[in-house]
Amino acid sequence: MSAIDDLPPLRDVIRRHDLSARKSLGQNFLLDLNLTGRIARAAGPLAGVTVVEVGPGPGGLTRALLAEGAGRVVAIERDSRAVAALAEVSARYPGRLAVIEGDALAIDPATLVADGTDAAGPAGSSVRIVANLPYNIATALLIGWLSAEPWPPWFDRLVLMFQREVAERIVAPVGGKSYGRLAVLAQWRCETRMLFDIAPSAFVPPPKVTSTVVQLVPRAAPLPCRLAALERVTAAAFGQRRKMLRQALKALAPDPLPLIAAAGLDPTARAETVPVDGFAALARALDVAALPAAGAASALAESPP
């Protein structure tokens, strides 16, 4: 592996801080600095950018982000052993690394970067989330970020590592075996694509699965519909994905045929064949159906086709 700075090798950092990976924290450390550098470069030019990183561990990706020129890195880490190790990185890059000790599921990163404080860098600077996410909370974190309101969100890009199976669910095309609620949410709000795979052997300890780096770029104007309504229709449709819509959507209404017709969908279709725009249309139809009769016609007329 190539040196990216004059800090000690990651294996030495792990040894000195007794940073053996803990399964309970979803830890699999990426020690190959060539690969951490590749992930950092995949996040695009970083000069002047504030990067939020979740689960930095011994700091391999953190060091790569700083070496690639990130204006500031805000690292959220639950493991106190890693926090101590990251102090060495902070000393090497003074004023450019803020380490927040805590559970990423309980911390809203937007609050760390909203006001241009010392932890976030200059107000108005671009913010990007780049992380080798702990496997056990990766999907929950992503859904939280994709559910940000208002939209467009406080970040301009997500470059994240997942288990390949999760990555496939994020980018799955309509009709694909992995197409489901996560694909609809991700592709409704972002342009998504898989960038590259990383073999299990690159990690300590090696996981049982291949990992994949995914990029998600927020859409400035997603298809119009309410997030809550979209969540309801996808939950109903994919909750019984082998059934036709006319049966699966009975969880939304005793007779779902008017909803399906208003969305311009085939009542005999199944969830995996309905594209993202079809689910957005169904979400709008659900909201119109919930309005008082006097306002329904007006709302329907104002909804985009």
Side-chain angles (χ1 to χ4, degrees):
M1 64 183 70
S2 301
I4 58 174
D5 52 37
D6 53 7
L7 286 168
L10 290 173
R11 291 185 185 278
D12 289 353
V13 173
I14 290 172
R15 189 179 306 112
R16 284 189 294 106
H17 291 275
D18 191 25
L19 253 176
S20 55
R22 291 178 176 171
K23 186 175 182 180
S24 62
L25 297 177
Q27 291 175 328
N28 297 89
F29 299 141
L30 183 61
L31 304 187
D32 188 329
L33 296 180
N34 291 312
L35 289 173
T36 59
R38 187 180 181 189
I39 296 170
R41 290 189 294 274
L46 295 176
V49 173
T50 294
V51 177
V52 174
E53 183 189 7
V54 173
L61 179 55
T62 313
R63 289 163 59 175
L65 291 165
L66 291 165
E68 288 294 327
R72 192 170 297 270
V73 174
V74 179
I76 302 172
E77 178 56 65
R78 183 179 176 184
D79 190 342
S80 60
R81 301 172 304 161
V83 171
L86 291 166
E88 299 174 11
V89 183
S90 183
R92 170 63 177 77
Y93 295 95
R96 294 174 59 198
L97 174 62
V99 180
I100 310 300
E101 184 172 359
D103 184 348
L105 288 173
I107 295 173
D108 179 4
T111 63
L112 305 176
V113 300
D115 300 321
T117 62
D118 288 343
S125 61
S126 297
V127 180
R128 213 157 285 170
I129 305 177
V130 186
N132 169 17
L133 296 175
Y135 285 156
N136 58 351
I137 60 171
T139 302
L141 286 170
L142 177 61
I143 291 172
W145 295 329
L146 292 174
S147 301
E149 297 288 3
W151 197 272
W154 50 273
F155 52 85
D156 68 8
R157 189 179 308 183
L158 301 166
V159 177
L160 306 170
M161 190 191 305
F162 299 92
Q163 296 181 53
R164 183 170 178 85
E165 179 269 335
V166 176
E168 290 173 344
R169 287 169 52 207
I170 293 167
V171 305
V174 61
K177 65 179 182 180
S178 299
Y179 184 70
R181 296 177 65 187
L182 184 58
V184 173
L185 175 61
Q187 294 171 37
W188 170 55
R189 284 203 145 166
C190 295
E191 297 280 355
T192 67
R193 67 186 181 106
M194 292 195 293
L195 300 181
F196 52 88
D197 291 338
I198 297 181
S201 58
F203 296 87
V204 175
K208 297 180 180 179
V209 296
T210 295
S211 298
T212 302
V213 178
V214 178
Q215 175 182 272
L216 301 96
V217 178
R219 298 180 189 273
L223 294 165
C225 69
R226 281 193 319 115
L227 172 62
L230 185 67
E231 289 176 333
R232 287 189 64 197
V233 298
T234 54
F238 287 105
Q240 301 186 71
R241 63 183 300 145
R242 301 312 306 161
K243 293 186 177 181
M244 298 178 183
L245 292 180
R246 64 189 182 194
Q247 182 65 32
L249 297 185
K250 286 186 176 180
L252 300 176
D255 179 11
L257 290 178
L259 284 177
I260 298 169
L265 299 176
D266 180 352
T268 66
R270 292 178 170 82
E272 65 263 27
T273 68
V274 178
V276 175
D277 61 356
F279 280 112
L282 193 58
R284 294 194 300 270
L286 180 66
D287 274 346
V288 169
L291 291 175
S298 173
L300 184 59
E302 293 171 2
S303 296

